[in-house]
């Protein structure tokens, strides 16, 4: 399955020097901005489903914890939530 262009940044986390790519950092920032602007976010105690590889959107976490997971390990495959 091919990854849509608007989501490729999710899976291109590290560059050749094993540093986070600018696209990934910007994408995570925009992702968090979007999540925290949603009414459901406030209704869920300011927690959100974590799209980290191991959590697979089954675990609710605070945004800082979600960001840490994404930076350390990346998004789950085929994330679309």
């Amino acid at each position: 399955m091919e990854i849509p262009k608007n989501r490729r940044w999710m899976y291109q986390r590290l560059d050749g020097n094993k540093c986070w790519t600018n696209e990934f950092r910007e994408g995570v920032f925009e992702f968090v901005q979007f999540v925290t602007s949603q009414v459901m976010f406030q209704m869920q105690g300011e927690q959100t489903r974590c799209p980290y590889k191991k959590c697979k959107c089954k675990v609710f976490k605070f945004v800082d914890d979600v960001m840490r997971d994404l930076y350390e390990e990346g998004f789950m495959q085929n994330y679309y939530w």
Side-chain angles (χ1 to χ4, degrees):
M1 175 180 221
E2 188 174 329
I3 300 168
K5 281 186 178 183
N6 65 333
R7 293 183 180 253
R8 287 189 185 153
W9 65 268
M10 292 178 173
Y11 306 104
Q12 296 173 345
R13 185 171 59 91
L14 302 175
D15 63 15
N17 295 320
K18 301 205 183 229
C19 296
W20 298 309
T21 63
N22 288 335
E23 293 82 10
F24 186 78
R25 285 192 303 241
E26 291 169 10
V28 169
F29 177 79
E30 289 176 18
F31 171 78
V32 167
Q33 294 297 320
F34 177 77
V35 166
T36 57
S37 72
Q38 302 304 300
V39 172
M40 283 301 293
F41 175 73
Q42 286 93 29
M43 292 174 58
Q44 294 167 340
E46 297 194 349
Q47 291 188 350
T48 189
R49 293 177 184 270
C50 183
Y52 158 59
K53 291 179 181 182
K54 291 184 181 176
C55 294
K56 296 182 180 177
C57 289
K58 295 177 183 174
V59 178
F60 283 85
K61 293 185 176 183
F62 291 104
V63 173
D64 290 343
D65 296 327
V66 170
M67 287 177 63
R68 184 185 61 242
D69 286 350
L70 294 177
Y71 278 114
E72 289 180 5
E73 299 293 333
F75 282 82
M76 62 187 263
Q77 285 298 319
N78 302 316
Y79 174 71
Y80 61 90
W81 195 275

